[in-house]
Amino acid sequence: MVSKWEQHISQEIINDPRRVNYFIDIPSHSLPSSKSLKLNLDKCSHRIQGGRKQGLHRLDEFLKYKIDNYHYSLSSPLKAFDGCSRLSPYLTWGCLSIREVVQAIRKTKKRGSRAIDSRLNWHCHFIQKLESEPELENREYHPYMSGIRQSNQIFLEAWSQGQTGIPFIDACMRSLNSHGWINFRMRAMLMSFASYQLWLPWQESGLFLARKFIDYEPGIHWTQCQMQSGTTAINTIRIYNPIKQGYDHDPEGIFIRTWVKELQCLPSKFIHEPWKINLFR
């Protein structure tokens, strides 16, 4: 598998065509608006701009200024929005190719090259996994894990809107709702919380997340949903403690205060566990 991937990734990059011929010429003014299609209002106000030009610019900026510290920016939402490459939406929508990104990274030979190279390898691995086993999008990898959780629309809605009452969970979800993106560890934590603390079926919580991510890639998304909810029976069960994650990755509560406005005035001592405040002292 690795050797085939290396053969593919090392092939010569084909230049962009100067012109693409369309079968149908549709004037831009004739395209229907989201309002006319009766689509829900898009609340993703901080979404990054799409297109190949933007993708190439982001890749260039990452390689010049950020890749050296990439490995240290992965886990914390405080660092990830600026320190990670944020190339995943451009890869998902075909604005950039895995091959050109990997080759550009390898040419730099900088400190963070190996870390992101490895992640792009796994990116392809999980896409191939779903290609080989498409049923993983809907049913549990291990049949004994089927039906162990129950639907709860109240819990699901509170979780999806960042209204659980757990500050770091709510901050991450509200940030995701606004950006359409959040770093991998926080995605795993959100899925883990939905699966273990709220005991929600991964199919339901996973669908909510799929609709939020601007870089939704089925092969990666659904296999990770199963891994984080413990339904594979072959991966180590990971139950993230959202309180500990908050202390580890947002010790002063800066990220929480940014997104959970109702807690802005709390001292850092209580920002992660506001229920510890003694109101009767």
Side-chain angles (χ1 to χ4, degrees):
M1 174 66 184
V2 175
S3 61
K4 288 184 178 180
W5 188 78
E6 282 294 339
Q7 290 174 11
H8 173 78
I9 222 71
S10 301
Q11 290 177 12
E12 183 180 355
I13 296 174
I14 300 173
N15 292 328
D16 301 338
R18 292 186 177 181
R19 176 179 172 80
V20 176
N21 295 319
Y22 298 92
F23 291 105
I24 303 174
D25 186 17
I26 304 176
S28 59
H29 62 79
S30 67
L31 293 175
S33 65
S34 57
K35 185 177 181 180
S36 67
L37 293 173
K38 297 181 179 180
L39 298 176
N40 293 332
L41 179 65
D42 185 358
K43 298 179 181 179
C44 192
S45 58
H46 289 73
R47 181 179 51 224
I48 59 176
Q49 189 174 353
R52 178 163 174 78
K53 183 177 179 181
Q54 290 293 327
L56 289 172
H57 174 71
R58 188 168 287 273
L59 175 61
D60 183 61
E61 291 288 300
F62 176 67
L63 296 180
K64 283 182 179 178
Y65 308 115
K66 301 178 181 180
I67 192 170
D68 280 331
N69 295 313
Y70 168 74
H71 188 72
Y72 304 101
S73 303
L74 286 172
S75 297
S76 171
L78 283 171
K79 299 177 181 178
F81 280 90
D82 185 60
C84 287
S85 72
R86 309 261 323 256
L87 294 174
S88 53
Y90 301 99
L91 292 170
T92 294
W93 292 98
C95 302
L96 301 175
S97 75
I98 286 281
R99 183 184 297 162
E100 69 177 321
V101 171
V102 170
Q103 289 189 18
I105 288 169
R106 290 179 176 178
K107 285 179 182 177
T108 67
K109 297 181 180 179
K110 290 186 176 181
R111 183 171 55 188
S113 300
R114 184 174 296 181
I116 193 167
D117 191 306
S118 174
R119 284 184 171 261
L120 290 171
N121 189 312
W122 279 104
H123 174 281
C124 295
H125 166 80
F126 283 115
I127 291 176
Q128 181 60 51
K129 187 176 182 65
L130 188 65
E131 177 75 18
S132 303
E133 302 177 78
E135 64 275 9
L136 295 181
E137 187 173 350
N138 300 302
R139 69 165 179 80
E140 286 77 4
Y141 187 88
H142 197 294
Y144 278 19
M145 299 298 175
S146 178
I148 62 173
R149 295 180 170 97
Q150 295 181 345
S151 297
N152 186 315
Q153 292 304 308
I154 295 176
F155 284 2
L156 185 64
E157 181 67 17
W159 169 79
S160 70
Q161 296 302 318
Q163 297 286 348
T164 66
I166 307 298
F168 197 51
I169 289 287
D170 292 343
C172 288
M173 186 61 81
R174 294 183 195 186
S175 176
L176 170 59
N177 288 340
S178 183
H179 286 92
W181 184 93
I182 199 165
N183 57 311
F184 179 80
R185 177 177 284 270
M186 299 304 100
R187 297 184 188 207
M189 180 190 69
L190 289 172
M191 192 66 203
S192 169
F193 186 84
S195 299
Y196 293 107
Q197 279 88 354
L198 301 182
W199 206 242
L200 297 171
W202 60 271
Q203 294 94 331
E204 295 181 7
S205 51
L207 183 59
F208 264 80
L209 290 178
R211 290 169 173 167
K212 295 173 186 290
F213 294 149
I214 59 173
D215 58 358
Y216 167 61
E217 174 56 67
I220 300 171
H221 181 74
W222 293 111
T223 50
Q224 288 300 318
C225 282
Q226 291 225 39
M227 287 174 64
Q228 301 305 334
S229 60
T231 58
T232 67
I234 59 174
N235 300 102
T236 302
I237 291 178
R238 299 178 182 134
I239 303 177
Y240 287 76
N241 181 335
I243 310 302
K244 180 181 183 300
Q245 292 298 313
Y247 279 117
D248 288 348
H249 302 296
D250 185 28
E252 299 301 319
I254 297 171
F255 187 74
I256 291 174
R257 288 189 179 88
T258 300
W259 294 102
V260 187
K261 303 295 186 183
E262 55 268 39
L263 300 181
Q264 277 184 328
C265 296
L266 282 188
S268 298
K269 180 180 178 181
F270 297 113
I271 193 70
H272 296 282
E273 301 174 273
W275 48 85
K276 287 187 174 181
I277 299 174
N278 188 343
L279 298 176
F280 301 100
R281 268 174 45 176

